[in-house]
Amino acid sequence: MNNKRNLKPPLSITRKSNHEGYESHNRLITTKMGNVEKILPKEICRILDTCGSCSLLNEDYKTQLLLKSARLKEHFKELGSSLPQVVVQHFVESSEKLAYRQSVKLVVSEHFVNGKPWIDIGFYRQSLNKIVDIGNCPIQNSILNDIMYYLRSALKNFKIPIYSPKRKTGILSGLILRSSRSTKQTFVTLLVRELKPALFRELACNLIEKFSHVQGVFLQLENPEMNQKDSGTVLVAGADIIEEKFGTLNFKLSCDVELPIHPIMTSKVFSRVIELCELTGTQTVLHLYSGMGALSCLLAKQARMVYALDEKNSYVKNTELNLKFHNIKNVHVECGKISKTLPAITPSLQTCEAIIITAPRSGIDTSLIETVTKLSPKHIIFVSSFHEHMGSDLKVFAQNNYTPLFVEPFDTHPGTPYFEVLCYLKKSA
């Protein structure tokens, strides 16, 4: 007698996709009623409108680039006479349209169906005032999706109390997943309201045992009311270093460093920056907001001296770690408010042929732009996410006689409205 139970398979809805290469993309969705659906959607993402993060995902790739290019050109048109006519070059395309995302920050919440708890992992949608569970996200890599799928049940099994903003109870409020594309090594950082490593240790060990790519599991204190968003990170289990490759070099990175969402496109940006610097081994290069230090290390291979400045101690520590790892000795690293540290090292710069600014999303200070332009470099390479501050910063550069010769967009976020822009600035005659 066959004692096996006849289990009904998940609801399967098969539709033909209009997008080449998307037909085999499966998604698992847990509905509010607790039903699991396996879907081959006509649209690439069934919750596209509800999530709201990937508004271009159902467009073919050529259309996506045309829409983004039109937005970029319109942005410069709106700046009017404050900038001379800027040449907008063609988009540098992404070879990966789906499953490219290697890093994501998510919200964890809990809802109840007939008294049973269900875990949602996704994004907070302000217009809906709710957490949207993103299911098996088509732009994330499979490692991140598999970990999310496992956590939806594991958090219940290990009795992890989920934070409720309404009741002000619970501990776990979110998570950050970071994965290396080259090595597949992954960090899982659990965002918590209290640091209680003992409560999460069994879950952390289980994660590392179940997923061979998970290197380390961390707790990070998240308390917006106390403005401690980035403080109090504790290793619960595993190791605190992963490796990622940019250009020709491998880099060791810690859990408190933001990994690029799309490492392949980030490497393309780095390569283009190095190409535009026209380095022959005799130049001095200044890199502001140097981040994890990967670009500074790559520049050092072709420059006489590189000065790398950043405002976050964690980034500076990672830069120093990788300089030692690669035995690079021609990079000088400074940590602190750049508007203060830059004037302090200016006498040491003497002549500075190239200045690279990988600008934060909040833009940069007018005083810093004035300080940079007074160094009279041969060229300034300004790399920024496409947002309102980019145009404002370029206007200030123009007022200080450095105008963009051209801008080159990189599609670092296919399927979404977001992208990076490289602006090549030359001194006005």
Side-chain angles (χ1 to χ4, degrees), residues 40-91:
L40 295 178
K42 182 177 180 180
E43 302 80 17
I44 302 167
C45 179
R46 183 183 177 185
I47 59 168
L48 189 66
D49 294 334
T50 310
C51 175
S53 300
C54 307
S55 58
L56 302 180
L57 197 58
N58 275 341
E59 302 288 350
D60 65 79
Y61 192 57
K62 182 179 179 180
T63 301
Q64 290 183 33
L65 297 183
L66 288 172
L67 291 170
K68 291 183 180 184
S69 184
R71 284 183 60 219
L72 183 59
K73 291 176 181 178
E74 184 63 26
H75 179 71
F76 282 106
K77 184 178 179 181
E78 290 172 355
L79 293 174
S81 59
S82 58
L83 279 177
Q85 187 173 0
V86 179
V87 175
V88 177
Q89 296 193 342
H90 292 298
F91 257 85

Side-chain angles (χ1 to χ4, degrees), residues 92-97 99-100 102 181-182 244-247 260-271 410-412:
V92 178
E93 298 184 11
S94 169
S95 58
E96 296 177 337
K97 317 307 189 290
Y100 62 84
Q102 305 292 131
R181 190 185 185 281
S182 62
E244 179 63 285
K245 185 175 183 179
F246 298 101
I261 286 173
H262 199 329
I264 288 181
M265 293 305 294
T266 299
S267 289
K268 287 185 178 182
V269 174
F270 289 172
S271 295
F410 289 74
D411 193 25
T412 51

Side-chain angles (χ1 to χ4, degrees), residues 162-350:
I162 307 302
Y163 179 72
S164 169
K166 185 176 181 179
R167 298 190 299 271
K168 304 294 183 184
T169 58
I171 294 180
L172 179 66
S173 59
L175 68 145
I176 300 173
L177 303 176
R178 299 186 177 103
S179 182
S180 163
R181 190 185 185 281
S182 62
T183 65
K184 311 300 182 186
Q185 296 170 339
T186 303
F187 283 149
V188 177
T189 301
L190 304 172
L191 303 176
V192 295
R193 312 297 289 192
E194 300 177 65
L195 290 176
K196 292 186 175 182
L199 177 64
F200 292 89
R201 190 157 288 121
E202 189 177 0
L203 170 65
C205 293
N206 193 265
L207 265 167
I208 292 173
E209 181 181 353
K210 185 173 180 64
F211 297 96
S212 60
H213 297 306
V214 174
Q215 293 295 105
V217 180
F218 303 82
L219 296 187
Q220 180 174 306
L221 188 64
E222 185 175 56
N223 194 341
E225 292 82 5
M226 299 295 290
N227 195 27
Q228 293 179 333
K229 183 179 178 182
D230 295 317
S231 64
T233 302
V234 175
L235 176 65
V236 181
D240 59 358
I241 292 291
I242 62 176
E243 290 191 12
E244 179 63 285
K245 185 175 183 179
F246 298 101
T248 58
L249 298 177
N250 289 321
F251 294 90
K252 294 180 179 293
L253 303 170
S254 63
C255 76
D256 48 6
V257 168
E258 292 184 18
L259 293 181
I261 286 173
H262 199 329
I264 288 181
M265 293 305 294
T266 299
S267 289
K268 287 185 178 182
V269 174
F270 289 172
S271 295
R272 184 61 169 146
V273 168
I274 294 168
E275 179 186 11
L276 290 171
C277 285
E278 300 176 334
L279 301 175
T280 60
T282 61
Q283 295 90 347
T284 298
V285 178
L286 176 62
H287 185 192
L288 304 182
Y289 301 99
S290 54
M292 59 188 169
L295 178 55
S296 296
C297 290
L298 292 167
L299 287 163
K301 293 292 185 179
Q302 301 184 38
R304 182 186 69 83
M305 190 70 190
V306 176
Y307 289 83
L309 281 61
D310 201 272
E311 297 183 348
K312 292 186 177 181
N313 188 49
S314 59
Y315 286 134
V316 170
K317 286 184 176 179
N318 274 261
T319 301
E320 292 172 341
L321 172 67
N322 285 290
L323 290 173
K324 185 176 181 180
F325 178 59
H326 292 292
N327 195 30
I328 297 173
K329 299 181 179 179
N330 59 329
V331 175
H332 177 83
V333 185
E334 288 280 348
C335 182
K337 188 72 174 175
I338 292 178
S339 57
K340 295 181 179 179
T341 56
L342 179 56
I345 68 166
T346 297
S348 304
L349 288 172
Q350 297 177 354

